Amino acid sequence: MAANTAFRTCPDTGLKVHLPAQALIKANAVAAVVFLLLGGLFGLFVALTRWPEVHLLPAESFYAVLTAHGMDVLLFWIIFFEIAILYFASAILLNCRLAAPWLGWVAFILMLVGAIIANVAVIQGESSVMFTSYVPMKAAPHFYLGLILFAVGALIGVGIFFATLVIAREERTYEGSVPLVTFGAVTAAIIAVFTLASGAIILIPTFLWSLGYIAHIDSMTYKLVWWAMGHSSQQINVSAHVAVWYAIAAIVLGAKPLSEKVSRSAFLLYILFLQLASAHHLLVEPGVSSEWKIFNTSYAIYLAVLGSLIHGMSVPGAIEAAQRGKGYTRGVFEWLTKAPWGNPAFSGMALSLVMFGFLGGISGVVMGTEQINLIMHNTLYVPGHFHGTVVAGTTLAFMAITYLVVPLIFQRELLVPKMAQWQPYVFGLGVAGISLFMMGAGTLGVARRHWDITFADSTLTFDYPGAAFLMLGLNGIFAIMAAVGGAMYIVVVVASILFGKRREGAGEPAPQPAEPPAGAAVGSYGNAGTLHLPGTYVLVGVFFVAFVLYYFINWKYLSEVWPLS
Amino acid sequence: MAIAPPERRLWWKEPLDKAEIIWITIAFLWGIVMFLAMIYWHIVGEQNLSNEAYRIDPEVFAAKAEEMTEKYQVREEGDTGIPVVHPPPGSDVYLISRLWEWWPILELEKDQSYRLHLSSMDWQHGFSLQPTNINVQVHPNYDLVMTIKPNEAGTFSVVCNEFCGIGHHTMVGRIYVTER
């Protein structure tokens, strides 16, 4: 079969790389980066408009740009990249051919055309309905059409991933169980099916409604089903970027999971419970009972949070174990101080892990508490939270793995390595600021999706506290920093892909091929009885204390507002 | 390594390290604490969103609000022409949200309870009471009824915090709370 000849062997990892899969990975990754550039630029405009002293855009463009920003980065950048990850985690990691590459191109073109149509619809100005497009506010029909095409394309991509897993099993291209990273990708893909199907279920009727074929769509029903897409798409991200954390730790440091059983069980908890979190968006809505809210918003007793807390220990634990195995055993933290902080893949992953936990994770659980949501719903706290998850968490993790994808898949050496080295820090610090200051402004009550917090054109006016203005100014400054970090990423990636030195044959490998840690340090399976990881215990302890304190502080805030029942 | 199949085929039979068991137990128990906290607050807490809601036609809701306003209007707000309404404590109070205003202005008494009805005449809106910072979603065709009890006197604003078109940022309402 022709497929047998369409392979090359990766000189760094020894993996067999299916060339049609490689081409699809490249195409999806490039499309992702283009939409990151576009969406990121829109994001900068949003932040500069929110900065009261700058107030860059007029109201009409602000709302259009805000709509496009959400759509481009939250859907297009991330899902294009995730499709690339799915092809990588199936075809490449399993040494297998990709199922039906032609269909992969059909999927890619559907997604690309859909994304372009949706962007055109928003830029035309008739579809400034925000990313959420809550009915009965109506967008132009082609806005919905674009999103539907994109979702169908992505769904096909996910189908190809599953088909590839079947082929790999049939053709016995690997031994035993799939690697943990692939397991994480399976988790993401299962959630993606649920997500994209929900999107189709709600967007198709909405499209027909916008054309006049359906008279009425209930606003609560819309919201319930829409968030089964809107929030679940963020759960694809969580699963995918956790898989990326494990992948980077493995490729850069040779880290192995402390326990395959624990890490895989944590992914299983995601599959079973993570989607319930769509309820986070319905906590202050009419017509939904408290029982329903409590069960769903807590992912059935916080079982998906349990999954994340487990990864929160097992990822740094795997790194610590690998580092100690290499002899960095002095004190509690030598393994951490001697980590490869100059390698952008590692530093990006580490920052992503820490910020996802402290900024995105804690705030998400707190905000998702039924009653506490009353003091946060639709304030700037919400975008503050999800810039901690999706930008500091997912986007930074995806940027980090790009620094491995460029040499391994694009077979180019990184150009301007100094800039690459600094990029995760500049972007990470910028995003941390964005996230924190928006959460701060939200705590002071500032509304999200709001063009003018001075209420200059209102009949009745209101003054937010001065601190809120300060927060939005700082948000603007950090947004500029994040934009610089984003631009550095794009410069490095584009320059390397276009002009980087070709890496052919078994040349000098840019990322160090992983050396398995010395046998004595980590047992061949699990970490039972092999090694203590004091550094990880301390880090996890600090995180847990911060979590508990912040959780109860917000109950205190809540207890001070007007009684209501 | 995480990018290769597990070394032991029977990975689900691996023994667990004590530290991992401890952390999983702590995390699980913390989940139960957070779960029970919400139920606990329903029992003893004073800030719980009501579960009372009805389907309602916008016209019907508007008629109720107008009836209330006619009955209890005490003055107009400056030269804006917006009526200020002082309904009796314990009564049903209606607040209309529509593009782009909250109508009418309410005057409530401190430490008295009111049954506040919220509904939209058109798109979704967000009831954001400032500077107190209570935020509730308002839908068309749904009448959300919640009992509120202002615990401080003063002038409060109702900012719309659900995007509702080009005039969204001008949609501000007012609630006065007076000492008894």
Side-chain angles (χ1 to χ4, degrees), chain A residues 63 128 177 181 218-219 223 256 261-262 285 290 309 370-371 374 377-378 445 449 524-525 527 561 563-565, chain B residues 2 5 7-8 11 14 16-17 19 23 38 42 46-48 51 130 135 137 139 142 147 149 161-163 168-169:
Chain A
Y63 291 128
S128 298
S177 302
V181 171
D218 181 74
S219 60
K223 225 170 162 175
K256 49 176 103 182
K261 176 159 73 176
V262 169
E285 311 287 317
S290 288
L309 291 173
E370 191 208 355
Q371 295 94 338
L374 278 166
H377 174 78
N378 266 358
R449 298 170 162 179
S524 61
Y525 63 92
N527 70 342
V561 307
L564 60 161
S565 57
Chain B
E7 286 168 35
R8 297 290 168 106
W11 50 265
E14 289 168 6
L16 284 185
D17 185 59
W23 175 235
M38 290 189 280
H42 272 282
E46 292 194 307
Q47 291 81 11
N48 289 291
N51 284 322
Q130 296 299 336
N135 304 278
Q137 191 81 10
H139 284 254
Y142 287 85
T147 304
K149 195 173 170 189
N161 72 1
E162 182 57 76
F163 174 68
H168 166 53
H169 48 270

Short mmCIF file of all heavy atoms in Angstrom, two decimals, chain A residues 63 128 177 181 218-219 223 256 261-262 285 290 309 370-371 374 377-378 445 449 524-525 527 561 563-565, chain B residues 2 5 7-8 11 14 16-17 19 23 38 42 46-48 51 130 135 137 139 142 147 149 161-163 168-169:
data_model
loop_
_atom_site.label_atom_id
_atom_site.label_comp_id
_atom_site.label_asym_id
_atom_site.label_seq_id
_atom_site.Cartn_x
_atom_site.Cartn_y
_atom_site.Cartn_z
N TYR A 63 -17.93 46.80 20.19
CA TYR A 63 -18.74 45.60 20.35
C TYR A 63 -18.50 44.60 19.22
O TYR A 63 -18.54 43.38 19.45
CB TYR A 63 -20.23 45.98 20.47
CG TYR A 63 -20.55 46.71 21.76
CD1 TYR A 63 -21.22 47.93 21.76
CD2 TYR A 63 -20.18 46.17 22.99
CE1 TYR A 63 -21.51 48.59 22.95
CE2 TYR A 63 -20.46 46.83 24.18
CZ TYR A 63 -21.13 48.04 24.15
OH TYR A 63 -21.41 48.69 25.34
N SER A 128 -22.85 42.04 15.73
CA SER A 128 -22.18 42.32 16.99
C SER A 128 -23.04 41.78 18.13
O SER A 128 -23.69 42.52 18.83
CB SER A 128 -21.96 43.82 17.16
OG SER A 128 -21.13 44.28 16.12
N SER A 177 -1.34 -0.48 26.03
CA SER A 177 -2.30 0.62 26.02
C SER A 177 -1.72 1.83 25.30
O SER A 177 -0.50 1.95 25.17
CB SER A 177 -2.64 1.02 27.46
OG SER A 177 -3.14 -0.08 28.16
N VAL A 181 -0.49 10.60 26.89
CA VAL A 181 -0.83 11.82 26.13
C VAL A 181 -1.97 11.53 25.15
O VAL A 181 -2.90 12.32 25.00
CB VAL A 181 0.42 12.35 25.39
CG1 VAL A 181 0.05 13.48 24.44
CG2 VAL A 181 1.46 12.82 26.40
N ASP A 218 -36.66 29.99 22.57
CA ASP A 218 -36.73 30.38 23.98
C ASP A 218 -35.33 30.75 24.49
O ASP A 218 -34.36 30.01 24.27
CB ASP A 218 -37.30 29.21 24.79
CG ASP A 218 -37.42 29.57 26.25
OD1 ASP A 218 -38.32 30.34 26.59
OD2 ASP A 218 -36.57 29.09 27.04
N SER A 219 -35.25 31.89 25.17
CA SER A 219 -33.92 32.38 25.56
C SER A 219 -33.24 31.48 26.58
O SER A 219 -32.01 31.35 26.58
CB SER A 219 -34.02 33.82 26.09
OG SER A 219 -34.87 33.86 27.22
N LYS A 223 -29.80 29.23 25.97
CA LYS A 223 -28.64 29.38 26.85
C LYS A 223 -28.17 28.05 27.41
O LYS A 223 -26.97 27.77 27.48
CB LYS A 223 -29.03 30.31 28.01
CG LYS A 223 -27.98 31.33 28.30
CD LYS A 223 -28.46 32.36 29.26
CE LYS A 223 -27.24 33.07 29.83
NZ LYS A 223 -27.60 34.17 30.69
N LYS A 256 8.23 10.67 33.51
CA LYS A 256 7.13 9.73 33.31
C LYS A 256 6.09 9.96 34.38
O LYS A 256 6.41 10.43 35.48
CB LYS A 256 7.62 8.30 33.30
CG LYS A 256 8.51 7.90 34.43
CD LYS A 256 8.84 6.42 34.35
CE LYS A 256 10.22 6.15 33.81
NZ LYS A 256 10.54 4.75 33.69
N LYS A 261 -2.05 4.87 36.51
CA LYS A 261 -3.41 4.63 36.99
C LYS A 261 -4.04 5.94 37.47
O LYS A 261 -5.17 6.26 37.09
CB LYS A 261 -3.37 3.61 38.13
CG LYS A 261 -4.75 3.39 38.76
CD LYS A 261 -4.84 2.08 39.51
CE LYS A 261 -4.07 2.10 40.81
NZ LYS A 261 -4.27 0.83 41.55
N VAL A 262 -3.28 6.69 38.27
CA VAL A 262 -3.84 7.92 38.83
C VAL A 262 -4.11 8.94 37.73
O VAL A 262 -5.20 9.52 37.65
CB VAL A 262 -2.88 8.50 39.89
CG1 VAL A 262 -3.29 9.90 40.29
CG2 VAL A 262 -2.84 7.58 41.10
N GLU A 285 -30.09 32.45 36.73
CA GLU A 285 -31.14 32.53 35.72
C GLU A 285 -32.48 32.15 36.35
O GLU A 285 -32.54 31.35 37.28
CB GLU A 285 -30.86 31.54 34.58
CG GLU A 285 -29.47 31.58 34.03
CD GLU A 285 -29.20 32.80 33.17
OE1 GLU A 285 -30.05 33.17 32.36
OE2 GLU A 285 -28.11 33.37 33.32
N SER A 290 -32.51 25.28 42.35
CA SER A 290 -31.25 25.24 43.10
C SER A 290 -30.66 23.84 43.13
O SER A 290 -29.44 23.68 43.07
CB SER A 290 -31.47 25.72 44.54
OG SER A 290 -31.69 27.10 44.54
N LEU A 309 -7.14 18.54 40.43
CA LEU A 309 -6.24 18.58 41.59
C LEU A 309 -5.24 17.43 41.51
O LEU A 309 -4.08 17.57 41.91
CB LEU A 309 -7.05 18.52 42.89
CG LEU A 309 -7.90 19.77 43.19
CD1 LEU A 309 -8.80 19.55 44.39
CD2 LEU A 309 -7.01 20.99 43.42
N GLU A 370 -22.82 28.16 43.70
CA GLU A 370 -24.13 28.68 43.35
C GLU A 370 -24.36 30.11 43.86
O GLU A 370 -24.65 31.01 43.10
CB GLU A 370 -25.25 27.78 43.87
CG GLU A 370 -26.61 28.18 43.29
CD GLU A 370 -27.80 27.84 44.18
OE1 GLU A 370 -27.63 27.20 45.24
OE2 GLU A 370 -28.92 28.25 43.81
N GLN A 371 -24.21 30.31 45.17
CA GLN A 371 -24.56 31.63 45.72
C GLN A 371 -23.48 32.68 45.46
O GLN A 371 -23.80 33.84 45.23
CB GLN A 371 -24.80 31.51 47.24
CG GLN A 371 -26.02 30.65 47.59
CD GLN A 371 -25.65 29.20 47.87
OE1 GLN A 371 -24.61 28.71 47.43
NE2 GLN A 371 -26.49 28.50 48.59
N LEU A 374 -23.65 35.10 42.56
CA LEU A 374 -24.45 36.33 42.62
C LEU A 374 -23.58 37.59 42.66
O LEU A 374 -23.99 38.64 42.17
CB LEU A 374 -25.31 36.32 43.90
CG LEU A 374 -26.62 35.54 43.84
CD1 LEU A 374 -27.15 35.35 45.25
CD2 LEU A 374 -27.63 36.28 42.98
N HIS A 377 -21.43 37.24 38.70
CA HIS A 377 -22.01 36.97 37.39
C HIS A 377 -21.93 38.18 36.47
O HIS A 377 -22.34 39.28 36.85
CB HIS A 377 -23.46 36.54 37.56
CG HIS A 377 -24.20 36.38 36.26
ND1 HIS A 377 -24.04 35.28 35.46
CD2 HIS A 377 -25.06 37.18 35.61
CE1 HIS A 377 -24.78 35.41 34.38
NE2 HIS A 377 -25.42 36.56 34.44
N ASN A 378 -21.41 37.94 35.26
CA ASN A 378 -21.35 38.99 34.23
C ASN A 378 -20.56 40.24 34.62
O ASN A 378 -20.67 41.27 33.96
CB ASN A 378 -22.76 39.41 33.80
CG ASN A 378 -23.21 38.63 32.57
OD1 ASN A 378 -22.45 37.82 32.06
ND2 ASN A 378 -24.40 38.89 32.10
N GLY A 445 -17.36 45.28 40.95
CA GLY A 445 -18.68 45.37 40.32
C GLY A 445 -18.69 45.77 38.86
O GLY A 445 -19.75 45.85 38.26
N ARG A 449 -18.19 43.31 29.01
CA ARG A 449 -18.77 43.67 27.71
C ARG A 449 -19.39 45.06 27.75
O ARG A 449 -20.53 45.26 27.33
CB ARG A 449 -19.85 42.66 27.34
CG ARG A 449 -19.31 41.28 27.19
CD ARG A 449 -20.40 40.27 27.05
NE ARG A 449 -19.87 39.03 26.49
CZ ARG A 449 -20.60 37.94 26.28
NH1 ARG A 449 -21.87 37.95 26.56
NH2 ARG A 449 -20.06 36.87 25.77
N SER A 524 10.12 1.43 37.79
CA SER A 524 9.68 1.26 36.41
C SER A 524 8.18 1.44 36.31
O SER A 524 7.65 1.64 35.25
CB SER A 524 10.10 -0.11 35.89
OG SER A 524 9.49 -1.09 36.70
N TYR A 525 7.48 1.33 37.38
CA TYR A 525 6.08 1.69 37.34
C TYR A 525 5.70 2.36 38.65
O TYR A 525 6.18 2.00 39.71
CB TYR A 525 5.18 0.48 37.09
CG TYR A 525 5.22 -0.56 38.16
CD1 TYR A 525 4.31 -0.51 39.22
CD2 TYR A 525 6.16 -1.58 38.14
CE1 TYR A 525 4.34 -1.47 40.21
CE2 TYR A 525 6.20 -2.54 39.12
CZ TYR A 525 5.28 -2.49 40.16
OH TYR A 525 5.32 -3.44 41.13
N ASN A 527 5.21 5.35 41.55
CA ASN A 527 6.29 5.87 42.37
C ASN A 527 6.22 5.23 43.74
O ASN A 527 6.81 5.70 44.69
CB ASN A 527 6.23 7.39 42.47
CG ASN A 527 5.06 7.87 43.28
OD1 ASN A 527 4.12 7.11 43.49
ND2 ASN A 527 5.09 9.11 43.74
N VAL A 561 -23.80 41.35 51.42
CA VAL A 561 -24.72 42.04 50.50
C VAL A 561 -26.16 41.89 50.97
O VAL A 561 -26.46 41.13 51.89
CB VAL A 561 -24.55 41.57 49.04
CG1 VAL A 561 -23.11 41.66 48.61
CG2 VAL A 561 -25.10 40.17 48.85
N PRO A 563 -29.69 40.88 51.90
CA PRO A 563 -30.33 39.57 51.98
C PRO A 563 -31.33 39.40 50.83
O PRO A 563 -32.08 40.33 50.52
CB PRO A 563 -31.05 39.60 53.33
CG PRO A 563 -30.29 40.61 54.13
CD PRO A 563 -29.86 41.65 53.14
N LEU A 564 -31.32 38.25 50.22
CA LEU A 564 -32.34 37.97 49.23
C LEU A 564 -32.69 36.48 49.28
O LEU A 564 -31.86 35.66 49.65
CB LEU A 564 -31.93 38.40 47.81
CG LEU A 564 -30.72 37.84 47.15
CD1 LEU A 564 -30.82 38.07 45.66
CD2 LEU A 564 -29.48 38.54 47.65
N SER A 565 -33.91 36.21 48.93
CA SER A 565 -34.33 34.81 48.97
C SER A 565 -35.44 34.58 47.96
O SER A 565 -36.01 35.52 47.46
CB SER A 565 -34.83 34.44 50.36
OG SER A 565 -35.88 35.31 50.71
N ALA B 2 5.25 9.65 29.10
CA ALA B 2 3.84 9.90 28.80
C ALA B 2 3.54 9.85 27.31
O ALA B 2 2.39 9.82 26.91
CB ALA B 2 3.44 11.26 29.36
N PRO B 5 3.58 4.05 25.21
CA PRO B 5 2.66 3.20 25.97
C PRO B 5 3.22 2.88 27.35
O PRO B 5 4.45 2.82 27.52
CB PRO B 5 2.55 1.94 25.10
CG PRO B 5 2.88 2.41 23.72
CD PRO B 5 3.91 3.49 23.91
N GLU B 7 4.80 1.20 30.53
CA GLU B 7 5.77 0.10 30.53
C GLU B 7 5.12 -1.21 30.97
O GLU B 7 5.40 -2.26 30.43
CB GLU B 7 6.93 0.44 31.46
CG GLU B 7 7.84 1.48 30.86
CD GLU B 7 8.81 2.04 31.87
OE1 GLU B 7 9.25 1.28 32.75
OE2 GLU B 7 9.12 3.24 31.78
N ARG B 8 4.30 -1.11 32.01
CA ARG B 8 3.60 -2.31 32.46
C ARG B 8 2.24 -2.36 31.78
O ARG B 8 1.48 -1.40 31.87
CB ARG B 8 3.40 -2.28 33.98
CG ARG B 8 4.69 -2.29 34.76
CD ARG B 8 5.35 -3.67 34.62
NE ARG B 8 6.73 -3.60 35.11
CZ ARG B 8 7.11 -4.13 36.28
NH1 ARG B 8 6.24 -4.71 37.06
NH2 ARG B 8 8.37 -4.06 36.65
N TRP B 11 -1.29 -1.52 33.80
CA TRP B 11 -1.03 -0.31 34.57
C TRP B 11 -2.10 -0.04 35.61
O TRP B 11 -1.86 0.63 36.60
CB TRP B 11 -0.87 0.90 33.63
CG TRP B 11 -1.98 1.03 32.63
CD1 TRP B 11 -1.98 0.58 31.36
CD2 TRP B 11 -3.25 1.66 32.82
NE1 TRP B 11 -3.16 0.87 30.74
CE2 TRP B 11 -3.96 1.53 31.61
CE3 TRP B 11 -3.87 2.31 33.90
CZ2 TRP B 11 -5.26 2.02 31.45
CZ3 TRP B 11 -5.15 2.82 33.74
CH2 TRP B 11 -5.84 2.66 32.53
N GLU B 14 -1.16 -1.02 39.21
CA GLU B 14 -0.02 -0.43 39.92
C GLU B 14 -0.41 -0.07 41.35
O GLU B 14 -1.50 0.45 41.56
CB GLU B 14 0.40 0.88 39.24
CG GLU B 14 1.06 0.72 37.91
CD GLU B 14 1.16 2.05 37.20
OE1 GLU B 14 0.82 3.08 37.80
OE2 GLU B 14 1.58 2.05 36.04
N LEU B 16 -0.37 2.31 44.64
CA LEU B 16 -0.34 3.77 44.78
C LEU B 16 0.61 4.18 45.89
O LEU B 16 0.71 3.50 46.91
CB LEU B 16 -1.73 4.29 45.12
CG LEU B 16 -2.74 4.32 43.98
CD1 LEU B 16 -4.01 4.98 44.46
CD2 LEU B 16 -2.16 5.09 42.80
N ASP B 17 1.25 5.30 45.68
CA ASP B 17 2.12 5.85 46.73
C ASP B 17 1.25 6.48 47.81
O ASP B 17 0.17 7.00 47.54
CB ASP B 17 3.02 6.91 46.11
CG ASP B 17 4.01 7.43 47.13
OD1 ASP B 17 4.78 6.62 47.65
OD2 ASP B 17 3.98 8.64 47.41
N ALA B 19 1.65 9.22 49.47
CA ALA B 19 1.43 10.66 49.29
C ALA B 19 0.28 10.90 48.32
O ALA B 19 -0.54 11.81 48.51
CB ALA B 19 2.70 11.32 48.78
N TRP B 23 -3.23 12.88 49.13
CA TRP B 23 -3.68 14.07 48.37
C TRP B 23 -5.06 13.83 47.74
O TRP B 23 -5.94 14.68 47.77
CB TRP B 23 -2.64 14.44 47.30
CG TRP B 23 -3.08 15.56 46.38
CD1 TRP B 23 -3.13 15.51 45.03
CD2 TRP B 23 -3.50 16.88 46.74
NE1 TRP B 23 -3.56 16.71 44.52
CE2 TRP B 23 -3.81 17.57 45.56
CE3 TRP B 23 -3.68 17.54 47.96
CZ2 TRP B 23 -4.26 18.89 45.52
CZ3 TRP B 23 -4.14 18.86 47.95
CH2 TRP B 23 -4.42 19.51 46.74
N MET B 38 -22.79 24.87 49.85
CA MET B 38 -23.90 25.48 49.11
C MET B 38 -25.24 25.11 49.75
O MET B 38 -26.15 25.93 49.84
CB MET B 38 -23.87 25.03 47.64
CG MET B 38 -22.70 25.61 46.87
SD MET B 38 -22.80 25.30 45.10
CE MET B 38 -22.22 23.63 45.01
N HIS B 42 -28.08 27.51 51.89
CA HIS B 42 -29.53 27.57 51.66
C HIS B 42 -30.28 27.49 52.98
O HIS B 42 -31.38 28.02 53.12
CB HIS B 42 -29.97 26.41 50.74
CG HIS B 42 -29.89 26.75 49.29
ND1 HIS B 42 -30.84 27.52 48.66
CD2 HIS B 42 -28.96 26.46 48.36
CE1 HIS B 42 -30.50 27.67 47.39
NE2 HIS B 42 -29.36 27.06 47.18
N GLU B 46 -28.26 34.07 54.13
CA GLU B 46 -29.31 35.02 53.81
C GLU B 46 -29.30 35.44 52.35
O GLU B 46 -30.15 36.19 51.92
CB GLU B 46 -29.15 36.27 54.69
CG GLU B 46 -29.44 35.98 56.14
CD GLU B 46 -29.62 37.27 56.93
OE1 GLU B 46 -28.72 38.12 56.87
OE2 GLU B 46 -30.66 37.41 57.59
N GLN B 47 -28.31 35.00 51.59
CA GLN B 47 -28.23 35.41 50.20
C GLN B 47 -28.39 34.19 49.30
O GLN B 47 -27.44 33.51 48.96
CB GLN B 47 -26.89 36.10 49.90
CG GLN B 47 -26.71 37.44 50.55
CD GLN B 47 -26.26 37.34 52.01
OE1 GLN B 47 -25.89 36.27 52.47
NE2 GLN B 47 -26.30 38.45 52.73
N ASN B 48 -29.63 33.86 48.98
CA ASN B 48 -29.90 32.76 48.07
C ASN B 48 -30.85 33.26 47.01
O ASN B 48 -31.85 33.91 47.32
CB ASN B 48 -30.52 31.59 48.82
CG ASN B 48 -29.52 30.89 49.72
OD1 ASN B 48 -28.60 30.24 49.25
ND2 ASN B 48 -29.68 31.06 51.02
N ASN B 51 -36.04 30.48 43.70
CA ASN B 51 -36.36 29.54 42.62
C ASN B 51 -37.70 29.86 41.99
O ASN B 51 -38.24 29.07 41.23
CB ASN B 51 -36.38 28.11 43.15
CG ASN B 51 -34.98 27.58 43.36
OD1 ASN B 51 -34.09 27.86 42.58
ND2 ASN B 51 -34.78 26.85 44.43
N GLN B 130 -25.46 48.11 42.05
CA GLN B 130 -24.18 48.69 42.47
C GLN B 130 -24.39 49.81 43.48
O GLN B 130 -25.41 50.48 43.41
CB GLN B 130 -23.44 49.24 41.24
CG GLN B 130 -23.05 48.18 40.22
CD GLN B 130 -22.11 47.14 40.77
OE1 GLN B 130 -21.39 47.38 41.74
NE2 GLN B 130 -22.13 45.96 40.20
N ASN B 135 -25.84 40.43 41.18
CA ASN B 135 -25.99 40.31 39.73
C ASN B 135 -26.94 39.18 39.36
O ASN B 135 -26.70 38.03 39.74
CB ASN B 135 -24.63 40.06 39.09
CG ASN B 135 -23.63 41.14 39.46
OD1 ASN B 135 -23.61 42.21 38.88
ND2 ASN B 135 -22.82 40.86 40.47
N GLN B 137 -29.56 37.59 36.12
CA GLN B 137 -29.88 37.64 34.70
C GLN B 137 -31.37 37.87 34.49
O GLN B 137 -32.20 37.30 35.19
CB GLN B 137 -29.46 36.31 34.06
CG GLN B 137 -29.48 36.30 32.56
CD GLN B 137 -28.23 36.93 31.95
OE1 GLN B 137 -27.27 37.21 32.65
NE2 GLN B 137 -28.28 37.17 30.66
N HIS B 139 -34.47 37.71 31.69
CA HIS B 139 -34.87 37.17 30.39
C HIS B 139 -36.22 37.73 29.96
O HIS B 139 -37.07 38.01 30.81
CB HIS B 139 -35.01 35.65 30.47
CG HIS B 139 -33.72 34.91 30.50
ND1 HIS B 139 -33.24 34.20 29.43
CD2 HIS B 139 -32.80 34.77 31.49
CE1 HIS B 139 -32.08 33.65 29.75
NE2 HIS B 139 -31.79 33.97 30.98
N TYR B 142 -39.84 35.60 30.97
CA TYR B 142 -39.71 34.98 32.30
C TYR B 142 -39.84 36.06 33.36
O TYR B 142 -39.24 37.13 33.24
CB TYR B 142 -38.35 34.30 32.47
CG TYR B 142 -38.20 33.02 31.68
CD1 TYR B 142 -37.79 33.05 30.35
CD2 TYR B 142 -38.47 31.79 32.26
CE1 TYR B 142 -37.65 31.88 29.62
CE2 TYR B 142 -38.33 30.62 31.54
CZ TYR B 142 -37.92 30.67 30.22
OH TYR B 142 -37.78 29.51 29.50
N THR B 147 -37.22 37.86 46.80
CA THR B 147 -37.47 38.72 47.95
C THR B 147 -36.17 39.41 48.32
O THR B 147 -35.17 38.74 48.58
CB THR B 147 -37.98 37.87 49.12
OG1 THR B 147 -39.14 37.17 48.68
CG2 THR B 147 -38.34 38.74 50.30
N LYS B 149 -34.16 42.49 50.67
CA LYS B 149 -34.27 43.22 51.94
C LYS B 149 -33.06 44.14 52.03
O LYS B 149 -32.00 43.72 52.50
CB LYS B 149 -34.28 42.20 53.08
CG LYS B 149 -34.74 42.74 54.41
CD LYS B 149 -34.84 41.57 55.37
CE LYS B 149 -35.06 42.04 56.79
NZ LYS B 149 -34.95 40.92 57.74
N ASN B 161 -25.64 44.53 32.90
CA ASN B 161 -24.37 43.84 32.63
C ASN B 161 -24.52 42.64 31.70
O ASN B 161 -23.67 41.77 31.66
CB ASN B 161 -23.63 43.50 33.92
CG ASN B 161 -24.27 42.38 34.69
OD1 ASN B 161 -25.28 41.83 34.26
ND2 ASN B 161 -23.71 42.03 35.82
N GLU B 162 -25.61 42.62 30.95
CA GLU B 162 -25.67 41.68 29.82
C GLU B 162 -25.71 42.50 28.55
O GLU B 162 -26.57 43.38 28.41
CB GLU B 162 -26.90 40.77 29.91
CG GLU B 162 -26.97 39.73 28.80
CD GLU B 162 -25.72 38.85 28.74
OE1 GLU B 162 -25.59 37.95 29.59
OE2 GLU B 162 -24.87 39.11 27.86
N PHE B 163 -24.80 42.21 27.63
CA PHE B 163 -24.71 43.02 26.41
C PHE B 163 -26.07 43.03 25.69
O PHE B 163 -26.66 41.99 25.45
CB PHE B 163 -23.64 42.46 25.48
CG PHE B 163 -23.62 43.16 24.16
CD1 PHE B 163 -23.22 44.49 24.09
CD2 PHE B 163 -24.02 42.52 23.00
CE1 PHE B 163 -23.21 45.16 22.88
CE2 PHE B 163 -24.02 43.19 21.78
CZ PHE B 163 -23.62 44.51 21.73
N HIS B 168 -26.15 49.64 25.19
CA HIS B 168 -25.96 48.85 26.42
C HIS B 168 -25.32 49.65 27.56
O HIS B 168 -25.78 49.62 28.70
CB HIS B 168 -25.12 47.64 26.06
CG HIS B 168 -24.55 46.88 27.20
ND1 HIS B 168 -25.31 46.42 28.25
CD2 HIS B 168 -23.27 46.48 27.47
CE1 HIS B 168 -24.54 45.77 29.10
NE2 HIS B 168 -23.31 45.80 28.65
N HIS B 169 -24.27 50.40 27.22
CA HIS B 169 -23.50 51.10 28.26
C HIS B 169 -24.22 52.32 28.80
O HIS B 169 -23.70 53.01 29.68
CB HIS B 169 -22.12 51.48 27.71
CG HIS B 169 -22.20 52.15 26.38
ND1 HIS B 169 -22.15 51.43 25.20
CD2 HIS B 169 -22.38 53.43 26.03
CE1 HIS B 169 -22.28 52.26 24.17
NE2 HIS B 169 -22.43 53.48 24.65
#
